[in-house]
Amino acid sequence: MNYGRTFNFSAGPAMMPEPVLEEIRDELLNYRGSGMSVMEMSHRSKVFQQIADEAEADLRELMGIPDNYKVLFIQGGATLQFAAVAWNLMKNGKAVYIETGAWSKKAIAEAKKYGEVIVAASSKDRNFSYIPDCSDLDIPEDADYVYICENETIHGLTYQTLPNTKGHVLVSDQSSMFLSKPCKVTDYGMIYAGVQKNVGPAGMAVVIIREDLIREDLDPKMPVYMRYDIQAKNGSMYNTPNCWAIYCCGKVFKYLKSIGGLEEMARRNEEKAKILYDFLDSSEMFRGTVDKQFRSLMNVPFVTESAELDAEVVKATKAAGFDNLKGHKSVGGLRASIYNAMPKEGVEALVKFLKQFEAEYKK
Ligand SMILES: *Cc1c(COP(=O)(O)O)cnc(C)c1O
C-alpha cells in the first residue's frame, strides 16, 4: 500500500520496517483481545510480561546471546549508559577508551566523572576519518575495561576488527549498528545500544552484559535506576519500563527473524551501502569523507568541493522528497543514514537523483 512515506535518511530516530508499523497499527486499539492498547497496559500484567519475555527471547536467538549474559531494557537512551558503564564497571577506577568520533568523545567526557580515563588511541588528528590501530594498545594491567564506539554515527566510520584488549573486558556502544550484521557476543563483556537508530522508537537502550561484570558493591550515591544489579534482579522492571519501546522492538526482532536473521540483514546492508559508495567513488562532484576500509555500512557522510554547493544539494534532495540528508555540523556536507529499515529502492533513488544533479551541474 502507498502511505505516501518518504525515504527518510535520518541518523535517528529513523525508519522502521513497514510491515512492523502495519502490525502495530492493527494492534493499536486492542492488543490481541486484551481490550486495551499496549500503551495502556500494566507492565505487571501477564499480557505485557509475555511481550517482554518474547522480545528478550527473540533477541537472544537473533544474536546468539549465551545464558551467562543478561539482557536489560533501560530507559534514558544510550547517553545514560555513558555514565552507567563507568559507574557500574569501574571497580579499580580506571578504564581505557578509544576516541574515534563524536560519540566516543561524549562517552569519554562522561566517564571522566567517575574515574581515570586513558585514551589509548585516537583518530582526532584527521577529524575522525579512520579507526586507529588497536592491535597493540598500552593497557594498564588494572584497567577495568576497554571501551569503543563500534560505529560512529556522525563521522561514519566503523571497526573492521575489534581491538586487542589483551584479556581485558571489551565494552561496545553499538547504537547505530545494532543488529545490522551478525555479532559474536562472547567477544564482549558488554554491548549496549540506543534503539532509535536501527530498531525502534526512541527512549530506550538495550544492554547485554556478562553476569560476572554485574557488581553489587557500588557507590551508595548511585541512582538506583542506573544499577545493573537492580535492573537484572528485577527483569528490567524495577520501575515502569518503556513498555511501548519494548513492544515495538520485539516486533522488529521477529521481523528480522522472519527475513532470515542477521546474516540476511548484513547481506542487504552491504548491498545497499555498495550502491552508494560505488557512486561516490565514481563521482567527480561528491566524495566520501572516511578512509575506505573503515567506512560505515549505516552512516555515509559525503561532501562536494564547497559548503555552498553542499547546501545546494541538501536543498535539492529535500525538494525531491528525500529527508534528513544534511550532514552533522562537525563534518559538514551530507550524510545518508541507511539503517536496516531503509529499503534498497531508497538508496537507488537517492543515487539516481545525485547522478542527475551532477550531470546537470556540469552542463
Ligand atoms: C545516537 C547515539 C547515542 C546517543 O543516543 P541517545 O539515545 O540519544 O542517548 C550514543 N551513541 C551512539 C553511537 C549514537 O549513535
Side-chain angles (χ1 to χ4, degrees):
M1 189 174 160
N2 182 5
Y3 298 105
R5 287 163 56 76
T6 185
F7 291 124
N8 176 9
F9 290 89
S10 169
M15 293 181 83
M16 287 174 62
E18 211 161 279
V20 167
L21 293 175
E22 285 174 329
E23 261 184 52
I24 291 169
R25 174 198 61 195
D26 293 346
E27 293 175 347
L28 189 66
L29 276 87
N30 184 349
Y31 176 79
R32 301 189 184 175
S34 65
M36 60 186 82
S37 172
V38 175
M39 276 187 266
E40 303 167 307
M41 214 172 254
S42 165
H43 59 296
R44 308 280 177 212
S45 66
K46 261 200 191 128
V47 191
F48 186 76
Q49 189 63 54
Q50 194 186 343
I51 292 173
D53 289 347
E54 270 184 42
E56 177 176 338
D58 287 332
L59 180 63
R60 282 184 178 277
E61 192 184 326
L62 268 178
M63 293 182 74
I65 301 172
D67 288 342
N68 65 326
Y69 284 74
K70 291 280 185 209
V71 173
L72 310 174
F73 298 119
I74 304 182
Q75 300 190 44
T79 299
L80 188 70
Q81 295 309 311
F82 294 163
V85 164
W87 226 349
N88 278 280
L89 302 187
M90 276 189 178
K91 198 174 176 178
N92 300 325
K94 194 182 286 186
V96 166
Y97 279 66
I98 314 298
E99 187 186 44
T100 48
W103 290 113
S104 45
K105 271 170 74 176
K106 283 199 168 162
I108 288 167
E110 197 72 353
K112 278 182 177 166
K113 297 178 188 169
Y114 305 100
E116 186 187 342
V117 170
I118 297 145
V119 178
S122 170
S123 53
K124 196 175 173 180
D125 59 337
R126 282 202 284 121
N127 195 27
F128 305 116
S129 56
Y130 70 102
I131 300 285
D133 179 6
C134 297
S135 60
D136 186 19
L137 299 168
D138 207 352
I139 305 172
E141 209 38 61
D142 60 346
D144 290 305
Y145 58 88
V146 176
Y147 179 102
I148 58 170
C149 173
E150 203 166 335
N151 184 80
E152 285 279 4
T153 321
I154 289 174
H155 292 84
L157 62 156
T158 196
Y159 285 76
Q160 295 308 319
T161 47
L162 294 175
N164 175 3
T165 63
K166 301 180 176 172
H168 291 80
V169 165
L170 182 65
V171 175
S172 176
D173 174 0
Q174 290 196 348
S175 295
S176 50
M177 60 172 288
F178 194 55
L179 303 179
S180 65
K181 60 178 191 178
C183 169
K184 196 170 157 227
V185 175
T186 51
D187 285 344
Y188 306 82
M190 176 177 156
I191 295 166
Y192 74 92
V195 296
Q196 76 274 25
K197 308 287 164 69
N198 219 5
V199 193
M204 189 173 84
V206 175
V207 170
I208 300 165
I209 181 169
R210 216 173 62 208
E211 274 167 356
D212 61 288
L213 299 174
I214 300 177
R215 294 166 52 211
E216 292 178 2
D217 57 331
L218 293 163
D219 180 350
K221 284 207 181 124
M222 196 168 157
V224 65
Y225 192 79
M226 289 173 72
R227 295 179 59 132
Y228 295 143
D229 61 330
I230 302 275
Q231 293 288 4
K233 252 183 242 153
N234 291 278
S236 306
M237 292 199 206
Y238 175 77
N239 71 332
T240 319
N242 187 337
C243 300
W244 183 250
I246 293 171
Y247 163 71
C248 296
C249 289
K251 292 254 179 242
V252 174
F253 301 155
K254 280 197 197 302
Y255 172 78
L256 289 171
K257 275 171 62 181
S258 78
I259 65 162
L262 300 186
E263 281 83 13
E264 172 59 16
M265 198 62 251
R267 190 196 64 75
R268 293 185 191 185
N269 285 329
E270 277 160 23
E271 188 181 23
K272 282 187 290 180
K274 186 173 185 317
I275 296 169
L276 188 46
Y277 284 123
D278 280 353
F279 164 68
L280 294 176
D281 291 342
S282 67
S283 164
E284 285 168 23
M285 178 181 253
F286 302 101
R287 64 175 175 82
T289 53
V290 172
D291 289 6
K292 279 187 190 174
Q293 69 184 116
F294 304 115
R295 284 170 161 179
S296 166
L297 282 184
M298 302 277 102
N299 311 98
V300 183
F302 55 100
V303 294
T304 68
E305 67 199 13
S306 74
E308 291 71 34
L309 187 52
D310 289 343
E312 211 180 300
V313 184
V314 171
K315 211 171 137 196
T317 55
K318 185 127 189 115
F322 302 99
D323 249 327
N324 293 311
L325 280 155
K326 190 172 190 291
H328 191 271
K329 57 183 184 300
S330 56
V331 183
L334 293 91
R335 174 176 50 163
S337 293
I338 50 174
Y339 295 120
N340 282 359
M342 169 62 67
K344 183 177 153 191
E345 295 73 43
V347 181
E348 286 171 338
L350 176 66
V351 165
K352 189 172 164 213
F353 177 82
L354 294 173
K355 263 186 193 157
Q356 263 167 10
F357 186 95
E358 182 172 351
E360 271 162 40
Y361 187 82
K362 274 191 206 147
K363 272 186 205 159

